[in-house]
Amino acid sequence: EPVIVARDVEKWYDNGFHVLKGVNMTVYKGEVLVVMGPSGSGKSTFIRTFNALEPYQKGSIEVDGITISHDLKNIEAIRREVGMVFQQFNLFPHLTVLQNVTLAPIWVRRWPKAKAQEVAMQLLERVGILEQAHKFPGQLSGGQQQRVAIARSLAMQPKVMLFDEPTSALDPEMVREVLDVMRGLAKTGITMVCVTHEVGFAREVADRVVLMDGGYLIEENTPQEFFSNP
Ligand code: ADP
Ligand code: ADP
């Protein structure tokens, strides 16, 4: 069952740069898809279109049956379905970990505070930072902050999680703890699209690996086949 269907997606940035040159991709329910490719090839831009963070000009993108309009008129519906984790954690520095995680459920989903907190605490436990619930992001390591960001996205109960180089800003010793959380998440059956250079993660966790280059999707394969090429 397809969750994301991208057809002939083309995008130009305002300065005229043709960043996506007709990309086709289908992501199926429960699948972990890893997007690889050189820096500047359009990976980040492409997955940002799935969350209506970037407009696109040609083709179509459907998320769970909703077509993202070129003018991004239906952003709210899409954002509820699609969570995103960035390279920079983008936490609110003046809010505690718990407040960061409950903010959207309370204000967007209109959950009662107690329910939002209960769900948030369960998520913080799942990503291994329950003890940090009442700290501020600045008091946490990068790996801990990224795990908060993952919990915050999950709190909205998205159908799809997008990861945009989630470990690239981390010191090496913190990469593993974030990848472990992502591995655990993959096992829950949530649909995941991950831009990452972590070959080990792609080999072990991905159902499919796609390669982008110069605004095109140039290869799509199982990790076994993808990494066996000479
Ligand atoms: P990747 O994620 O593969 O590194 P990106 O999607 O971030 O690639 O960027 C693809 C290309 O688009 C790069 O050459 C980048 O400089 C360019 N680009 C990104 N954002 C903008 C922007 N706002 N305006 C113009 N060009 C941009
Ligand atoms: P990423 O690490 O996600 O690939 P980049 O380093 O390419 O991101 O870009 C960081 C930010 O700068 C993004 O918001 C992107 O849109 C913007 N940006 C990148 N390249 C350009 C460009 N050539 N012109 C304008 N903005 C750009």
Side-chain angles (χ1 to χ4, degrees), residues 74-133:
N74 50 353
I75 276 182
E76 284 80 14
I78 296 297
R79 296 266 168 90
R80 271 196 295 273
E81 309 283 346
V82 185
M84 184 144 186
V85 174
F86 302 89
Q87 184 175 336
Q88 300 300 332
F89 326 118
N90 295 355
L91 299 173
F92 298 105
H94 58 292
L95 298 180
T96 65
V97 164
L98 183 62
Q99 288 168 335
N100 264 280
V101 178
T102 56
L103 193 68
I106 290 172
W107 293 100
V108 180
R109 286 219 179 249
R110 302 275 163 199
W111 284 4
K113 195 171 165 188
K115 180 186 174 185
Q117 288 185 339
E118 190 187 321
V119 170
M121 293 303 263
Q122 285 166 3
L123 287 169
L124 291 177
E125 185 168 22
R126 189 157 131 204
V127 301
I129 38 176
L130 194 54
E131 285 83 65
Q132 325 296 333

Side-chain angles (χ1 to χ4, degrees), residues 20-70:
L20 301 175
K21 299 176 179 168
V23 187
N24 287 283
M25 194 172 90
T26 302
V27 187
Y28 295 92
K29 189 162 190 286
E31 183 175 45
V32 177
L33 189 110
V34 165
V35 183
M36 302 192 105
S39 177
S41 57
K43 307 180 296 294
S44 176
T45 303
F46 187 45
I47 72 161
R48 287 156 70 99
T49 61
F50 301 167
N51 192 25
L53 266 179
E54 292 282 0
Y56 62 105
Q57 286 84 25
K58 283 194 173 178
S60 67
I61 301 171
E62 254 177 62
V63 177
D64 203 32
I66 309 169
T67 300
I68 304 179
S69 60
H70 290 178

